[in-house]
Amino acid sequence: MTYQLYYWPQIQGRGEFIRLALEDAGAPYRDVCREKRGEAQLMRILGPRAAFAPPALKAGRLLLFQTPAILHWLAPRLGLAPRDEAARARLLQQQLTIADWLAEVHDTHHPIASHLYYEDQKREAKRRGAEFRRVRLPKFLKHFAEPEKRFSYVHLSLFQMVEGLRYAFPRAMRRLEPRGLAALHDRVAARPRLAAYLASPRRIPFNAMGIFRHYPELDDPRRM
Ligand SMILES: N[C@@H](CCC(=O)N[C@@H](CS)C(=O)NCC(=O)O)C(=O)O
């Protein structure tokens, strides 16, 4: 089975959480929108009623949207989740919390509207960013500070959160990052297939269009 991933070609974004699972498992997949005329293919599956927003995964006749739902379906097939229903439900619960966390990261630079420029909501972003660093970031980090021993797709997603947050908020992360999460990050980065992926051109670099953006004015202030 060759899986087909549909996601905006310029950013890691939410698509990256699915890419990491496919890459770690060594699963055959096409990153459809990064091929020729890829965005046109994305538009074709984004019918006004079929779906709300990418990422999407196509597997045979199944077309599935929503990052946590895709991972929930995919992970047992890739050996990244047990088949036991209760255990899978608990992983989905954690992935949904990660999705909430990711949305809050996005809202630090787009607190008013995602369709407006950052430059048009900078003042609000500064306030939102400060509250995020003061209250929400420590709360999420603490929640995931001691990851479960049994490896799953949630570990891959937590790796991506750490990577992204270190890029977006380097000073705050130096202050707040729990040891358990740093250790998880290093363990995941050393997995052979994942290490190969991260070093390859398939890994899109972080940039100023993605969900994780580095605006120094939203990070902890530099010490004088
Ligand atoms: N909850 C959805 C969110 C999907 C989403 O917001 N996708 C973004 C890109 S990362 C998008 O294309 N949004 C367009 C829109 O909301 O109109 C998921 O986890 O897949």
Side-chain angles (χ1 to χ4, degrees), residues 45-77:
I45 61 156
L46 278 182
R49 274 182 308 171
F52 185 76
L57 184 81
K58 216 166 158 202
R61 291 169 65 180
L62 175 73
L63 176 61
L64 196 57
F65 290 82
Q66 289 283 6
T67 316
I70 294 170
L71 286 167
H72 178 73
W73 181 85
L74 193 57
R77 290 166 171 82

Side-chain angles (χ1 to χ4, degrees), residues 41-154:
Q41 303 210 56
L42 175 60
M43 292 310 148
R44 252 205 311 279
I45 61 156
L46 278 182
R49 274 182 308 171
F52 185 76
L57 184 81
K58 216 166 158 202
R61 291 169 65 180
L62 175 73
L63 176 61
L64 196 57
F65 290 82
Q66 289 283 6
T67 316
I70 294 170
L71 286 167
H72 178 73
W73 181 85
L74 193 57
R77 290 166 171 82
L78 300 183
L80 291 172
R83 287 188 180 268
D84 170 67
E85 209 184 330
R88 283 182 68 202
R90 287 196 52 245
L91 292 178
L92 177 59
Q93 167 212 302
Q94 291 170 32
Q95 193 65 33
L96 286 164
T97 307
I98 292 172
D100 291 346
W101 187 6
L102 187 69
E104 293 200 24
V105 171
H106 168 273
D107 290 352
T108 60
H109 51 80
H110 280 75
I112 300 296
S114 52
H115 58 271
L116 298 177
Y117 289 114
Y118 169 63
E119 285 67 28
D120 294 332
Q121 45 195 315
K122 258 180 117 161
R123 252 188 25 182
E124 294 89 347
K126 202 151 183 224
R127 200 165 160 203
R128 182 75 183 245
E131 291 303 327
F132 176 74
R133 284 182 284 106
R134 190 176 71 81
V135 180
R136 302 299 286 177
L137 181 58
K139 182 167 180 177
F140 280 111
L141 286 171
K142 197 166 161 211
H143 179 69
F144 287 110
E146 283 167 35
E148 290 188 7
K149 297 242 173 337
R150 186 172 182 174
F151 189 79
S152 74
Y153 68 94
V154 169

Side-chain angles (χ1 to χ4, degrees), residues 7-8 11 13-14 52-55 65-68 99 211:
Y7 191 69
W8 305 114
I11 62 169
R14 289 180 170 86
F52 185 76
F65 290 82
Q66 289 283 6
T67 316
I211 299 177

Side-chain angles (χ1 to χ4, degrees), residues 8-27:
W8 305 114
Q10 311 86 349
I11 62 169
Q12 293 181 12
R14 289 180 170 86
E16 194 65 13
F17 294 84
I18 296 154
R19 269 192 211 108
L20 288 178
L22 292 165
E23 292 279 353
D24 186 73

